[in-house]
Amino acid sequence: MPGRPTASRRTVLRGVALTPMAGLGLTACAGGESKPAVPTGPVELGAEKEVARGGAKLYRDHNVVVSRGEDGTLAAYSTICTHARCPINKLEGTRLICPCHGSEFDATSGKVLREPAVAPLTRLAVEVENGTIVAKPEA
């Protein structure tokens, strides 16, 4: 067809070489694993004494963070980032840091401290049963 330019061999090979890289980029942005944002039922996390007043503890295996206020009350949140559903794996003091795009959250309130996330973390019900912290989906 005369009016249509043909792609050179170099252009075709460059496109073939870059296609897998584009796929990897999309996979990274998608958050990798598709984990539920909240536990589907009660989850035993650990001993109540593991969470100090004014502090927080990250339970990576269950994607949950538990914090304890100065008054001794517990709060729990899902650690699945609300931006791209990546599991958050870093806790510095009471600040959660998502490894995918750098969103930061307050572990005591679930509020966003740094974008790109704009929605807060999902709050979970939390209680202590026989000295063990148990998180549940919020009722």
Side-chain angles (χ1 to χ4, degrees):
M1 294 170 57
R4 192 172 195 187
T6 59
S8 71
R9 182 170 186 249
R10 174 176 279 169
T11 302
V12 171
L13 290 175
R14 185 179 300 142
V16 169
L18 293 177
T19 300
M21 297 308 289
L24 287 174
L26 290 174
T27 301
C29 287
E33 308 170 36
S34 178
K35 295 189 177 194
V38 296
T40 56
V43 177
E44 291 186 2
L45 299 173
E48 179 183 15
K49 63 184 176 185
E50 292 178 346
V51 184
R53 287 180 185 260
K57 178 159 175 64
L58 178 59
Y59 296 91
R60 286 183 186 92
D61 291 346
H62 300 290
N63 295 316
V64 173
V65 66
V66 177
S67 63
R68 184 184 300 273
E70 291 297 337
D71 63 356
T73 59
L74 295 174
Y77 296 91
S78 166
T79 57
I80 299 297
C81 182
T82 58
H83 171 246
R85 299 191 48 80
C86 294
I88 299 170
N89 61 7
K90 188 173 184 181
L91 176 67
E92 291 181 355
T94 58
R95 188 170 46 107
L96 292 159
I97 304 164
C98 181
C100 293
H101 300 106
S103 293
E104 295 182 12
F105 300 87
D106 183 340
T108 65
S109 67
K111 291 182 181 177
V112 176
L113 300 175
R114 181 174 177 220
E115 294 182 358
V118 293
L121 294 174
T122 303
R123 187 175 181 96
L124 304 174
V126 64
E127 57 189 48
V128 177
E129 296 178 2
N130 299 320
T132 301
I133 299 171
V134 178
K136 304 174 184 178
E138 186 80 309

